[in-house]
Amino acid sequence: MVLIEKFWSLKAVAFLCLGPSDNPIATTAPNLTGGKIANTAPPGPFFQGFKPPYPTDAWWSGYSVGTQDSTVSGPFPFESATTNTSIVFGISNKRDFDGTSIHQPTQTDWSVGMSGLPNDLQHRKATSWDTQTVCLQYFTDSGSTMSSCMVPGSPYMTFTFKNAVVNINSMNGNLGTLTWVTAGKKAKITNSAGTYLLYALDTSLTLTTNANTLQSQSGYTGTIRMALLNETSQEAILDKYVGAYPTGLTMSYAVSGNTSTQTWKWSTAGNSSSLLTLSWPHHRKVLSNPTSASIQYLTTKGYMKGVVGNTWTLTHTLPSIYWFAPNAPQSSCLSQLNQTLQYDVSALSVMVPGDFYYWGGSFARAARLALIAEQTGRTDLVNTVVGILKQSFAYWLDATHSPAAAYETGWGGVINKDGWNNTWVDFGNAYYNDHHFHYGYFLYGASVIGKYDATWLSQNKDFLTHIARDIGNPSPNDPYYTVTRHMDWFAGHSWASGIANGAGSRDQESTGEAINGYYGLLMFAEVTGNNALIDYARMLLAIEEMGAQTYWHLYPSVTTDTPYPEAGFRNLITVGNVEDWQAGAWLFWGAQRTEIAAIQMLPLTPIGEVTYDKAWLQNVIPYCQAELNDPTIGDAFKSVIYAAYATVNPQQAFNYSQQLSDWGSGNSATNQLYFVATRSSSSNICNTNLQTPQGSYYIQDVASGKYVTVSGSGSLAATASASLTAAPFTLAFMPGGGSILAQSNNQYVTADPNGQTALAAARATPSTYETFRWVTQSDGSYQLLALVNHDYVSTTSSNLVNNANSTNGITAGKYKLVPITSSTGAAVPASGTLKNVKTGKYVVATAANVTLLATATSAASATKWTFEKLSTSTSTTTYYDIRSQTTNEIVTGTTSGADPLTAARDVASTWESFQILSYNGNFVIIDLANGLNVAVQADNTLIANSNIVDSSTTWTIA
């Protein structure tokens, strides 16, 4: 069992309060490539008498930054602020739902202070803090003091005075009515804020009225408590338990197998068994045998309800997932998974850090490929991926590279040095925003390297340990890092907010990345063999996952003890952001339903086995359906939703996933398929009918019977009457579908995202716009889906255009794929004359007249030509230039198909390239400048302007 003591001592040199563990991960001093630096938001005099490290993301951090007067997220059910002369607090009695968010705006009801305080920052200070509580003191130069411990869950605000004149000031513009219930001991104060009970626990209190202020007699020494009387029936409860008040918290935890048991024990003044504390919905899921009290307050996160006694026991079931999903990939998916993995690994390149966040997502994405390669037996690919990961990580060890990791000395933590004076850099990383998001990715990717290279891990362990300590330090005995920076133990989840902008309102959007932060910590603990940290990280994971499922995942049918009584709000399915005073289906950076849902899921890792609960996910797809079907919305967030849905229906999730052409910077097609393939299912998950054809083909339009050609500009049209003059294409696998390479110009077919222009063979490399899916039809033909806009290809005025969908009335075309077999026709001679089969005339061209004319009546009077194979030829298609042996000039065509061929070029280029195909003992000549057949004209000129193979386009070479 690991214990923490009661509180941190006021002495800077020795902490008497220990965190969740007495034993830190390490205590070594940071020696980072970025050195040391202080950001521009230093700790205030609130911490006078102490030295760093300090909490940066605590609910009460606003007490300690800048002017030290930000409204902070507690101690709930209150919210509060410290001013130079008093503590301001209140409980919101206004709650509304606007269709998107629940609001309970911060409300300041009262301030409590004392006379004689200077109007400065120096006369208040922290005296102790622990994992939940902070105690502070105001003091005058004459020795008067006001002390208060801010304890989450306490229904009372408690103030202890020494030789002071107490000032209780109404913040609502009116003092209201003061009624003494028991003279000097208990009073009721009623105004627009409601009715507050005021108790004097020991010394009798005398109050006089001065405008909106109640003032005590001079030299008052004693403790007063204030509580909002929500309902008349609760007065007896508040009276009964007012005598015991908390002064700090001792936490202990033990892990046995897959269960953790936390024990929270509040230190108290008065009878500890009579301590009254309030619980939130997530507490009540895991509290063992609580003694309840009939009192409640509605907060943003639901009703806080009374629990009696100074000891709570909370039990969590811990995840037991490490590197891999519990199930191996199903056999029905292995072929496609291996093919996709090979593709993704071959496309992988070194990631150069430009920040922590985006680089970390890409780094961890690549690391997933190594683990999947191991589980599928591709150890050769493991080494490739790990090599790239090492090269990427090496930038953080290069002192000349920017950004660099530096140790921030004001508060104590690892930051992006580039942002030391700018809160906008790396999402405010240097001001302690989002460290668990950023460093979870970092630790995960680095741990994967360490899994496969123990020597590398040993060399880099110290650096990685500092990253782990920054977000996952379990002990205040670490002299450089605060305890578990982002975790709010009482709130039951992390806060992403740091010290920027006065450290006021707390918020967190991405529970998925918060969970990943502790998953990365777990992987680091696993790879370094730190069993204590393994247990601690698993417990953090369990807490964060329960917090996500309680406050971010919405369940319309759950009406009992829900955080959100409003049915309309629960119908929104997913919360995007939880703050102290509001929770809503929105994000700071977006409002699409797919964004809101996906940010609670990503990144896609095996820990999703626990995070993605079916009761939530079964509603996510229907709620997001319109956006999921909208081709104008990108696939990156859709991919995560589809994968997570495999928890509900893996077969449908596979079908959904096959619609994707982009997986974002933090996911990959391999990772997508792996997650889907590792779900439990008694039937096949993956459907081989959806896999793309591969090989060399002609494409034939079924309706017209015409074959697809490629024009000189690259446009695809169904114009050829025979496969002989059709364009040959190479179909190849791509994640999500396949590519189409035109062999005639060695360019990939691309689609217009607006579906307005014809498909064109015009890209050197394939990407999203060049991804297509061949959808098998019952007659053996295919429909062709362009994934760039998810419209089907139609044949419109012979052109192939991706413009057909279910709403615009355009019918999708049907196409046959005709395999290209090796030609058995006559070989093209190295040289010879050209004779047109229709006219029987031979072709001539002279220096005086470079235009090719079919006018000669004999071979003796004809021009002799050399047919030279071009270097642009492929393994399946040969291209030629045609050179006059008389003038040594090369024949050139035109893209327009309107001008006669001429022998007028010294060097062959695009317009001087031809394909010469054997046909019935003769040959057809195709001008690659426009993809048309060379035909004899009525005026005996030769023009490439025909789609037909007939005697006018057929030539004898002899």
Side-chain angles (χ1 to χ4, degrees):
M1 179 172 285
V2 187
L3 297 174
I4 37 176
E5 302 297 333
K6 175 180 172 184
F7 51 81
W8 276 279
S9 164
L10 180 58
K11 296 184 180 295
V13 294
F15 290 104
L16 296 180
C17 173
L18 302 182
S21 172
D22 291 348
N23 302 313
I25 301 171
T27 58
T28 55
N31 183 26
L32 305 174
T33 54
K36 296 180 180 180
I37 197 168
N39 67 30
T40 58
F46 184 77
F47 287 120
Q48 56 189 280
F50 292 93
K51 65 178 182 180
Y54 300 127
T56 55
D57 297 65
W59 66 263
W60 52 267
S61 289
Y63 292 160
S64 64
V65 184
T67 54
Q68 301 184 160
D69 59 357
S70 293
T71 300
V72 301
S73 304
F76 273 102
F78 301 92
E79 290 193 88
S80 63
T82 59
T83 72
N84 288 347
T85 57
S86 65
I87 296 173
V88 179
F89 61 92
I91 295 179
S92 176
N93 58 16
K94 298 178 179 66
R95 183 181 177 98
D96 70 81
F97 169 51
D98 65 3
T100 300
S101 299
I102 293 292
H103 304 107
Q104 279 200 236
T106 298
Q107 185 171 312
T108 53
D109 298 337
W110 297 94
S111 70
V112 176
M114 61 181 179
S115 299
L117 283 168
N119 187 23
D120 61 29
L121 302 178
Q122 286 72 34
H123 283 76
R124 63 186 183 276
K125 63 185 179 182
T127 56
S128 64
W129 64 87
D130 54 44
T131 54
Q132 298 181 22
T133 302
V134 60
C135 296
L136 55 94
Q137 183 182 84
Y138 283 76
F139 53 95
T140 67
D141 293 335
S142 61
S144 300
T145 62
M146 178 183 77
S147 301
S148 182
C149 287
M150 301 297 187
V151 183
S154 175
Y156 310 89
M157 291 290 287
T158 306
F159 309 91
T160 297
F161 295 89
K162 177 183 176 183
N163 196 30
V165 175
V166 179
N167 294 320
I168 304 173
N169 184 62
S170 170
M171 303 298 291
N172 287 279
N174 67 96
L175 188 60
T177 303
L178 170 68
T179 304
W180 285 103
V181 179
T182 302
K185 290 293 187 178
K186 176 187 174 185
K188 290 183 179 180
I189 313 173
T190 301
N191 61 17
S192 58
T195 297
Y196 271 78
L197 302 179
L198 184 149
Y199 301 92
L201 296 191
D202 28 48
T203 308
S204 292
L205 184 66
T206 301
L207 295 173
T208 58
T209 301
N210 180 9
N212 290 324
T213 301
L214 297 172
Q215 194 169 71
S216 76
Q217 70 271 34
S218 62
Y220 181 79
T221 298
T223 298
I224 68 172
R225 307 191 80 186
M226 295 183 69
L228 175 65
L229 183 59
N230 236 358
E231 301 172 11
T232 303
S233 61
Q234 296 179 355
E235 183 172 358
I237 300 292
L238 291 167
D239 288 349
K240 180 177 180 180
Y241 297 111
V242 71
Y245 60 89
T247 58
L249 180 82
T250 300
M251 172 186 166
S252 64
Y253 76 90
V255 173
S256 177
N258 292 330
T259 302
S260 72
T261 303
Q262 295 176 60
T263 302
W264 297 356
K265 186 173 183 179
W266 284 270
S267 54
T268 60
N271 183 356
S272 60
S273 64
S274 295
L275 181 68
L276 177 62
T277 310
L278 304 173
S279 65
W280 260 319
H282 72 279
H283 295 133
R284 297 190 285 274
K285 292 180 179 181
V286 293
L287 261 174
S288 299
N289 302 316
T291 300
S292 299
S294 184
I295 185 171
Q296 63 182 17
Y297 294 86
L298 183 58
T299 69
T300 306
K301 290 166 57 177
Y303 282 101
M304 299 187 79
K305 298 183 179 182
V307 178
V308 178
N310 74 323
T311 302
W312 285 10
T313 302
L314 304 94
T315 303
H316 288 86
T317 299
L318 305 184
S320 55
I321 294 170
Y322 294 90
W323 302 111
F324 306 109
N327 300 324
Q330 195 187 78
S331 59
S332 68
C333 304
L334 284 176
S335 175
Q336 185 175 347
L337 180 58
N338 275 295
Q339 199 169 24
T340 308
L341 175 64
Q342 178 76 54
Y343 186 96
D344 279 341
V345 172
S346 66
L348 202 59
S349 60
V350 173
M351 295 143 277
V352 179
D355 58 20
F356 271 119
Y357 179 67
Y358 288 115
W359 178 86
S362 297
F363 184 58
R365 169 195 177 275
R368 292 285 310 130
L369 299 179
L371 293 169
I372 295 169
E374 178 189 339
Q375 196 169 12
T376 55
R378 292 298 305 273
T379 55
D380 57 320
L381 297 181
V382 172
N383 295 332
T384 300
V385 175
V386 170
I388 293 172
L389 291 174
K390 288 179 182 178
Q391 293 177 66
S392 303
F393 185 90
Y395 284 96
W396 293 107
L397 307 175
D398 181 357
T400 66
H401 180 74
S402 180
Y407 182 76
E408 199 281 319
T409 57
W411 299 86
V414 179
I415 65 166
N416 180 336
K417 188 177 183 179
D418 282 1
W420 72 275
N421 63 349
N422 188 343
T423 59
W424 294 102
V425 172
D426 215 354
F427 298 92
N429 174 282
Y431 294 79
Y432 297 98
N433 286 353
D434 300 350
H435 278 204
H436 55 334
F437 298 171
H438 299 186
Y439 300 160
Y441 288 123
F442 195 104
L443 289 172
Y444 185 87
S447 298
V448 169
I449 301 175
K451 182 180 191 296
Y452 299 111
D453 190 334
T455 301
W456 182 94
L457 178 63
S458 177
Q459 293 168 345
N460 294 282
K461 183 178 178 181
D462 182 67
F463 181 24
L464 297 176
T465 300
H466 282 287
I467 299 293
R469 289 160 67 185
D470 184 274
I471 63 168
N473 165 42
S475 171
N477 289 333
D478 188 325
Y480 296 100
Y481 299 95
T482 191
V483 173
T484 319
R485 186 177 306 281
H486 293 275
M487 177 58 70
D488 186 327
W489 296 91
F490 192 84
H493 57 79
S494 297
W495 296 115
S497 315
I499 58 171
N501 303 316
S505 183
R506 305 284 86 180
D507 81 273
Q508 180 161 271
E509 291 182 332
S510 178
T511 58
E513 289 176 306
I515 289 166
N516 186 65
Y518 303 126
Y519 184 47
L521 182 68
L522 174 62
M523 294 299 92
F524 171 76
E526 172 72 8
V527 79
T528 56
N530 188 332
N531 291 327
L533 187 58
I534 288 173
D535 286 344
Y536 188 60
R538 291 173 70 208
M539 184 173 70
L540 292 172
L541 272 170
I543 294 169
E544 197 71 41
E545 285 167 337
M546 176 169 286
Q549 292 172 354
T550 304
Y551 300 113
W552 278 262
H553 299 184
L554 300 177
Y555 309 93
S557 62
V558 176
T559 58
T560 304
D561 206 15
T562 171
Y564 309 114
E566 296 84 356
F569 186 62
R570 298 196 306 277
N571 287 336
L572 298 177
I573 308 304
T574 308
V575 172
N577 197 328
V578 171
E579 295 185 72
D580 49 304
W581 68 276
Q582 67 170 335
W586 57 272
L587 301 164
F588 284 123
W589 48 270
Q592 291 177 356
R593 294 178 178 187
T594 47
E595 294 170 331
I596 293 166
I599 204 69
Q600 312 313 329
M601 301 172 184
L602 60 83
L604 189 64
T605 70
I607 202 65
E609 193 90 18
V610 180
T611 308
Y612 309 150
D613 59 294
K614 289 184 179 180
W616 171 55
L617 280 171
Q618 65 187 5
N619 294 315
V620 170
I621 292 285
Y623 187 70
C624 296
Q625 197 71 67
E627 292 178 9
L628 293 170
N629 292 341
D630 186 346
T632 66
I633 295 175
D635 285 347
F637 290 117
K638 294 177 184 178
S639 74
V640 183
I641 295 172
Y642 288 152
Y645 187 69
T647 304
V648 177
N649 186 331
Q651 287 78 15
Q652 185 61 58
F654 173 79
N655 291 337
Y656 285 145
S657 296
Q658 294 301 293
Q659 301 172 16
L660 302 168
S661 61
D662 179 36
W663 297 265
S665 61
N667 191 21
S668 66
T670 300
N671 194 44
Q672 178 90 12
L673 184 56
Y674 172 86
F675 191 89
V676 173
T678 53
R679 301 308 89 198
S680 296
S681 179
S682 58
S683 56
N684 286 348
I685 293 173
C686 297
N687 181 355
T688 57
N689 289 334
L690 297 177
Q691 296 180 14
T692 190
Q694 297 178 62
S696 294
Y697 295 92
Y698 299 115
I699 302 172
Q700 184 182 27
D701 177 52
V702 171
S704 67
K706 297 294 182 68
Y707 289 83
V708 174
T709 60
V710 176
S711 72
S713 63
S715 296
L716 271 64
T719 56
S721 59
S723 63
L724 175 70
T725 56
F729 296 95
T730 300
L731 309 187
F733 172 83
M734 285 181 69
S739 62
I740 305 173
L741 177 71
Q743 295 178 12
S744 59
N745 64 5
N746 204 36
Q747 296 286 298
Y748 287 93
V749 175
T750 187
D752 176 7
N754 298 314
Q756 296 178 352
T757 59
L759 304 187
R763 292 289 183 271
T765 57
S767 186
T768 303
Y769 286 19
E770 294 74 52
T771 307
F772 298 87
R773 180 171 303 111
W774 296 94
V775 181
T776 306
Q777 305 300 297
S778 59
D779 61 359
S781 66
Y782 295 89
Q783 289 183 334
L784 183 59
L785 182 71
L787 294 194
V788 66
N789 66 350
H790 290 278
D791 277 359
Y792 284 91
V793 173
S794 72
T795 302
T796 304
S797 299
S798 299
N799 293 315
L800 271 64
V801 185
N802 54 308
N803 61 0
N805 58 55
S806 61
T807 62
N808 64 8
I810 299 175
T811 302
K814 294 174 71 174
Y815 305 94
K816 288 183 178 179
L817 295 177
V818 180
I820 299 175
T821 58
S822 299
S823 174
T824 57
V828 177
S831 62
T833 58
L834 281 173
K835 183 175 74 169
N836 183 255
V837 171
K838 179 180 180 180
T839 66
K841 298 295 181 67
Y842 292 88
V843 176
V844 295
T846 66
N849 184 4
V850 296
T851 301
L852 275 66
L853 299 169
T855 57
T857 58
S858 67
S861 60
T863 301
K864 192 169 184 179
W865 307 94
T866 299
F867 305 99
E868 301 171 323
K869 182 177 179 180
L870 297 175
S871 61
T872 54
S873 300
T874 70
S875 60
T876 58
T877 307
T878 304
Y879 305 118
Y880 299 88
D881 67 22
I882 304 173
R883 185 184 297 272
S884 167
Q885 294 186 4
T886 302
T887 64
N888 203 37
E889 295 294 302
I890 300 172
V891 174
T892 185
T894 64
T895 58
S896 66
D899 300 319
L901 303 188
T902 58
R905 290 288 187 272
D906 295 329
V907 179
S909 185
T910 303
W911 289 8
E912 292 75 50
S913 300
F914 297 86
Q915 189 175 7
I916 303 176
L917 303 175
S918 175
Y919 178 70
N920 292 338
N922 297 305
F923 296 93
V924 174
I925 303 172
I926 302 172
D927 184 353
L928 296 186
N930 61 16
L932 299 177
N933 304 335
V934 175
V936 67
Q937 308 299 307
D939 61 357
N940 297 320
T941 58
L942 277 63
I943 300 177
N945 64 358
S946 176
N947 291 314
I948 299 171
V949 177
D950 61 10
S951 59
S952 69
T953 58
T954 309
W955 305 86
T956 299
I957 301 175

